Amino acid sequence: MRILITGTTGYIAKRLVMNLLSEKHELICCVRDLNRIPDEIESKEGIEFIKVDFLDTEDVVFPNNIDVAYYLIHSMTATGDDFEELEKQCAENFKNLIEETTCNQVIYLSGIVNDESLSKHLKSRLAVENTLKSDSYDLTTFRAGIIVGSGSASFEIIRDIVEKLPVMVAPRWLNTRTQPLAIRDVLRFLQRAAGKEEVRNQSFDICGPEILTYKQMLYQFGEVRGLKRYILTLPVLTPRLSSYWLYFVTSTSFNLAKALVDSMKVEVIAKPSQINEILNVKPMPYKEAVRFAFQKIEQNSVISSWKDAISSGVFHDQLSDHIQVPNHGCFKDVRSKIVKDETYTLNRIWSIGGKNGWYGFNLLWRIRGYLDKLFGGVGLRRGRRHDTNLEAGDPLDFWRVLLADKKQKRLLLFAEMKLPGEAWLEFKIIDNTLFQRAVFRPKGLWGRLYWYMVLPFHAFVFKGMINSLTKK
């Protein structure tokens, strides 16, 4: 089949693309930024990419010969009063484009919406589902609750909580019930629905076999990891305090913490259906899903992560808008050093951050990360997706990878920390010389004061970094 996929760089779609390619389908992948096409799929046969911003589709035309389309656009990190309207507008623009093609089925992954008091994000997903309905094609909607897999937001947040806190004083929403579903099973539902007559123009709740509270999920996660944990729930923690608790304990952003707390207050129990039998899917229990997730982590083969989403939200500017490092009106720290072994230095550069640290004065980097968290930033806890591999769009502590090209011997990072301005960090090897450049474009007087406040630390932090990268 010829299949169109939206949200290609997202957590679900990135994995789905790999699976569909293995089944020899022809894929058309929509991306907002052509510079963020994942390396592992860019060179595959049977795939093409088109640039689409679904908030601005005036000059966009989909290829005509399409059989099935997946609508997988959603961001838990997006905020603002107009968030629901923006999501609805994306869905409307997608619908208008796909109706001009031969597509006869659209598959949409939504959230379980059976509770009367829906969260803002679940209300938005229901509105998107209604918007996508059309007389031109059949709509298949799968509604899932908590998704468990390496790199998923729920998995990584529970992992942070369980592995860091032997004793937890937690909010009362830990007693809310849900039905967690393994990412492997989500992908099976999505794949097997393509072209299936029995699921056309219908919606199905998809879920794992167990109904668990979030507290039970924490305990079971601890059992898998061999960790004994104690949890005390308090009714006095307000949603806002709960959001701060989640934000400071885990690697999540504050926007995502707020969205998750809002959703976690709602019971997510699936309506019974025959979808498991129709598509021949037998969802695995929660503990088995956790074990599979850790297998991927131990093999260093996590394909996608919730952290891949740009921290400012899905509706903001593209990474490629920042790839040209400015020269005017900027402060710079530029250093160079002869490289004894280019391969060694490149490997060191490509392994920077995460558990490897920043090759010197890591305490100062951690303090900067704590300060960033304190002011609502992403902090250092995001780490990195892979220990030794980097590609455009990857999160790297409180940086975002703009360019990672080993052939050009160049790595370019853009700061996602809270700053009174914009910052870039670049590593480039030319003629056996490593050039390390930190560039800061200040915003207003406070931006300039900030640069001079941190300038004394640059003298030894950046010097130590380049020395460590070149010293063998």
Side-chain angles (χ1 to χ4, degrees), residues 33-165:
D33 190 342
L34 292 172
N35 290 297
R36 286 200 66 197
I37 298 173
D39 292 343
E40 58 264 42
I41 64 175
E42 186 174 17
S43 58
K44 297 282 187 180
E45 292 184 6
I47 187 169
E48 62 180 282
F49 299 90
I50 56 174
K51 182 177 179 180
V52 187
D53 180 346
F54 284 100
L55 286 175
D56 182 11
T57 57
E58 185 177 350
D59 298 321
V60 177
V61 178
F62 281 167
N64 182 59
N65 53 333
I66 295 171
D67 300 308
V68 177
Y70 286 91
Y71 189 79
L72 301 172
I73 297 174
H74 184 75
S75 176
M76 287 290 286
T77 61
T79 57
D81 295 335
D82 58 349
F83 166 68
E84 293 176 71
E85 187 57 39
L86 290 174
E87 286 224 315
K88 189 175 178 181
Q89 183 182 338
C90 279
E92 187 70 47
N93 289 340
F94 166 83
K95 175 182 172 181
N96 292 337
L97 287 170
I98 205 69
E99 284 181 336
E100 297 299 317
T101 73
T102 58
C103 179
N104 54 59
Q105 183 188 22
V106 169
I107 300 172
Y108 170 51
L109 180 62
S110 182
I112 292 178
V113 289
N114 299 330
D115 196 287
E116 293 182 359
S117 55
L118 294 177
S119 69
K120 174 183 176 182
H121 282 79
L122 287 177
K123 285 180 181 177
S124 176
R125 291 193 178 192
L126 183 58
V128 167
E129 180 181 338
N130 291 329
T131 301
L132 289 174
K133 291 178 181 177
S134 171
D135 294 329
S136 298
Y137 55 78
D138 297 326
L139 178 65
T140 300
T141 301
F142 290 118
R143 298 169 174 170
I146 293 293
I147 296 176
V148 183
S150 57
S152 74
S154 56
F155 174 86
E156 296 297 343
I157 287 169
I158 289 174
R159 180 185 181 187
D160 275 346
I161 294 172
V162 171
E163 298 196 356
K164 292 176 182 176
L165 301 177

Side-chain angles (χ1 to χ4, degrees), residues 167-176 213-216 218-219 230-237 245:
V167 179
M168 308 171 213
V169 179
R172 60 185 174 186
W173 48 254
L174 282 190
N175 294 317
T176 303
T213 65
Y214 289 102
K215 182 189 288 189
Q216 289 173 319
L218 291 171
Y219 280 135
Y230 302 91
I231 304 172
L232 173 65
T233 56
L234 295 180
V236 295
L237 289 178
W245 176 81

Side-chain angles (χ1 to χ4, degrees), residues 335 364 449-462:
R335 301 172 188 271
L364 290 177
L449 291 175
Y450 170 83
W451 175 262
Y452 289 114
M453 287 169 56
V454 300
L455 190 59
F457 300 103
H458 290 176
F460 43 90
V461 170
F462 288 137

Side-chain angles (χ1 to χ4, degrees), residues 207-227:
C207 62
E210 305 157 298
I211 298 177
L212 302 172
T213 65
Y214 289 102
K215 182 189 288 189
Q216 289 173 319
M217 290 170 64
L218 291 171
Y219 280 135
Q220 290 194 18
F221 196 102
E223 290 172 14
V224 172
R225 299 296 286 158
L227 300 169

Side-chain angles (χ1 to χ4, degrees), residues 338-403:
I338 299 297
V339 174
K340 297 178 181 178
D341 184 334
E342 283 196 1
T343 301
Y344 170 81
T345 297
L346 274 175
N347 289 337
R348 292 276 284 173
I349 292 171
W350 253 251
S351 303
I352 201 167
K355 66 182 182 182
N356 295 321
W358 291 81
Y359 304 139
F361 302 99
N362 282 318
L363 177 60
L364 290 177
W365 285 98
R366 286 196 292 271
I367 291 173
R368 182 63 182 87
Y370 294 140
L371 290 174
D372 194 51
K373 271 280 189 181
L374 191 62
F375 287 94
V378 294
L380 285 177
R381 290 179 183 162
R382 292 190 309 180
R384 46 184 294 157
R385 182 178 57 86
H386 191 283
D387 289 342
T388 58
N389 181 53
L390 290 173
E391 59 184 49
D394 275 357
L396 181 55
D397 292 337
F398 44 43
W399 301 89
R400 181 70 60 170
V401 179
L402 292 180
L403 178 71

Side-chain angles (χ1 to χ4, degrees), residues 238-249 254 257-258 261 374:
T238 65
R240 188 163 189 83
L241 286 175
S242 296
S243 300
Y244 279 115
W245 176 81
L246 201 61
Y247 171 62
F248 283 110
V249 170
F254 185 67
K258 284 169 58 181
V261 168
L374 191 62

